Amino acid sequence: MSDKTFNVLFICTGNSARSILAEAILNQLGRGQFKAYSAGSFPAGRVNPYTLEILQRWDMDTSNLRSKSWDEFAAPGAPQMDFVFTVCDQAAGEVCPVWPGQPILAHWGAPDPAKAEGDHEHILHEFRNVGLLLRKRIELMLALPIAKLEKLAIQHEVEQIGKVSS
């Protein structure tokens, strides 16, 4: 693989929490090397307010985040993806669109913080934990010498990263 900016799509069913967190984190940490996007198979139509609160506490830009359908990224003229990661088990089991260019696919499942119940601080804690898990996986991916690895080696490595739990 060459020295280019790699496009990454994070997919979750609702595209309101996990995939949005991953998009924002990779866009900040991987700036210049990666461009992240997120989408959902059945988008919620809004970003979860707890997602925005965590990202804002981490001083990450939330201005362009929105809940959107994965159909946007399978349409003609969409950015061609180099990587596509599912971050929820439900999306991993769904029939995904065919992604042009044969991107590297992996499952990076994470618990759904949007299902958390309790007071504001408890729910925020669940969102923070999922954000930290995704951040750790993204940091591991950023440490890979992607430009020097063969596609099959990269595939293996990103699959292993998806098994990191904390």
Side-chain angles (χ1 to χ4, degrees):
M1 301 195 120
S2 65
D3 293 334
K4 68 169 200 155
T5 300
F6 297 98
N7 289 325
V8 179
L9 179 60
F10 293 99
I11 296 175
C12 198
T13 303
N15 189 224
S16 71
R18 292 167 284 190
S19 52
I20 297 277
L21 285 164
E23 173 186 4
I25 293 167
L26 181 56
N27 276 332
Q28 179 166 324
L29 299 181
R31 185 172 289 129
Q33 186 180 4
F34 291 90
K35 172 65 179 146
Y37 303 89
S38 69
S41 53
F42 296 95
R46 68 176 183 84
V47 177
N48 188 298
Y50 288 98
T51 301
L52 296 173
E53 185 172 344
I54 285 296
L55 292 171
Q56 289 163 353
R57 285 183 180 208
W58 291 346
D59 294 321
M60 293 192 180
D61 183 19
T62 61
S63 61
N64 293 318
L65 298 176
R66 63 185 177 86
S67 179
K68 56 209 158 294
S69 173
W70 64 14
D71 293 338
E72 279 189 35
F73 299 96
Q80 184 170 311
M81 295 299 143
D82 299 293
F83 298 87
V84 176
F85 298 118
T86 52
V87 293
C88 70
D89 292 335
Q90 187 171 341
E94 294 175 349
V95 177
C96 293
V98 174
W99 306 110
Q102 299 178 322
I104 292 170
L105 308 173
H107 179 59
W108 285 9
D112 186 357
K115 291 184 178 177
E117 296 180 355
D119 65 17
H120 180 83
E121 285 307 312
H122 174 75
I123 295 170
L124 198 60
H125 177 77
E126 295 299 315
F127 274 80
R128 183 181 311 111
N129 285 346
V130 170
L132 291 171
L133 172 63
L134 292 168
R135 182 184 186 106
K136 181 174 186 173
R137 290 175 177 171
I138 287 167
E139 287 171 344
L140 289 169
M141 185 178 80
L142 291 172
L144 292 173
I146 290 178
K148 297 177 183 176
L149 294 176
E150 296 293 324
K151 188 171 182 172
L152 287 176
I154 296 169
Q155 178 73 51
H156 173 75
E157 293 298 325
V158 296
E159 286 174 355
Q160 294 307 306
I161 289 170
K163 295 176 183 175
V164 171
S165 58
S166 58

